[in-house]
Amino acid sequence: MKTCDVSITGRSLEKYAGPLLVFLVAERKKNTPRCDEPVRKGVDHLHRLGDVKGKADEMTMLYPNQSNLPVKTKARRILLAGFGEYDKTAGLEGMAERFRTAGGTISQQAARVKSREVLVVFPSWVKEHRRYLAGCLVEGMLLGNYRFDKYKKADEGDEKFEGIDTIEIHVDSRAFRHEVAKVSRRCRSVATARNMANEPGNRWTPDDFAQFAVDLAKRSDLHCSVLDKDQIEKLGMGGIIAVNQGSSTQPKLVVLEHNPPSFSKTMVLVGKGVTFDSGGVSLKPAAGMQDMKYDMCGGAAVLSTMQVVAEEKPGLRVVAIVPATDNMAGGAAVKPGDIITHFNGVTSEVINTDAEGRLILADALAYGIDRYQPDWVVDLATLTGAVIVGLGNHRAGLMSNHDGLAELISRVGDICGEKVWRLPLDKEYVDQIDSEVADIKNVGGKSGGSITAAAYLLKFVGQTPWAHLDIAGTAWDYTKKSYIPKGPSGFGVRLLLSLIDSWKQLKLGGKNKS
Ligand code: BES
Ligand code: MN
Ligand code: ZN
């Protein structure tokens, strides 16, 4: 994807002669909509006609040069972007989401008229949190401007539209620059995660994860190490080896570290990097199997997060670990009934080879904790279909052994618009994965599938405060949001970055559930 430049401007709107000038219009129950002065008369007129109400998603494109609407401008088009109600009772979170949504819709409209440049007037009627909310608007625009069409030719006779490349935000103060720069950085990382996920299984392999990390380390202060199959085997990571056994592609354990000059806290991030999940010998049904190229979205999220970590250099150590392999059914593949030994010596009976995510995460978690002695561990994984049954596509499942960490993740998730919902993790669920023949088994029966998957991971984190995010329902194709195009969402990047932002609020100790 091309990069998109975002800048702040205070230039005269009357002189603007570009392709697309955008004003936000907010609904008011018994009144004419809120809008900015330059379009006031026009909006009043259209409101009287009943055409403009300011509802969210209501998009009105005006062509000022060809109309006698009372709007003074040289712009080729004016978009009146409906905002919905500017209602403080929605709270800052609700308001932030409305601005992101408006931003996403503006990008969709720009694409419809193939406008590569957009000037958006940030509304003067927004009185509080102006800088933050302008950031949310930009966030929505940038995230909604994402496209992945590198393998697709343009329709004949049609010029290929490659997205907006210049966004200008019209505001009264230069102070917005930092916020906009921060948001742009973060949206670039979300795009990076989406790009990785969009590559199919034959074009995004464990080696590509490794290459990405090596390249990122080269152009930053991050330290990268990649363990190959021999090293993974020597370290006793029986889970990764087992999942990889049926494949002709070598596994990798990719590690990226941000080491500040001095630090007192360490956060380890682990992401499931299954570059294609066929299910292995416990083969998945054919219908929809192509979507299992997305089974690496957790890995994509944690490595892409490191791109921003490298730029922003937070004051704690952050380590991202991605166990990467595909899950195939070759002749040497692991079989139901096989018993494997994990990094920490725990033995496991493989009941179903399609429950492979927990096998590779178990090794990566135990390794990360042993090697880095972290204060907090967070893993992200497209781990279970069951989480989609339970929570649908609007919240990720959160399971944790630490209330403080779980609460903070829930809070930052609500704020950044990547929402989670905590599920329990009591001992009874953990008992479901007891095996007759080994320490544990990799499935715990039909009921509580997301929780028993988390219970498996719990065996590998010891007392370290840990949170597991099951992103199977949110990692792709939750298309209800204007700023999340169809395909991979990049879920987790913004959440992890918000969590890192607030790491100082993270208290150790506290009451542990489970
Ligand atoms: N990658 C899948 C989970 C998944 C399913 C993600 C659908 C997104 C959409 C995972 O490896 C898997 O196959 N899980 C099994 C576990 C079962 C065999 C215990 C599942 O959820 O069916
Ligand atoms: Mn699977
Ligand atoms: Zn999987």
Side-chain angles (χ1 to χ4, degrees), residues 277 279 284 295 327 354-356:
D277 180 11
K284 284 183 182 296
D295 211 15
N327 183 24
D354 196 12
E356 85 296 343

Side-chain angles (χ1 to χ4, degrees), residues 110-122:
R112 191 173 64 78
V113 299
K114 297 194 172 159
S115 182
R116 287 169 43 198
E117 292 165 36
V118 184
L119 171 57
V120 186
V121 179
F122 188 67

Side-chain angles (χ1 to χ4, degrees), residues 257-279:
E257 295 168 36
H258 160 65
N259 296 302
S262 74
F263 60 86
S264 62
K265 296 282 184 254
T266 298
M267 190 182 293
V268 163
L269 309 174
V270 177
K272 172 177 174 182
V274 172
T275 55
F276 184 76
D277 180 11
S278 73

Side-chain angles (χ1 to χ4, degrees), residues 13 16 18-23 73 75 77-80 119-121:
L13 293 177
Y16 175 77
L20 186 57
L21 176 58
V22 183
F23 291 92
T73 181
R77 302 179 190 86
I78 287 188
L79 174 64
L80 301 178
L119 171 57
V120 186
V121 179

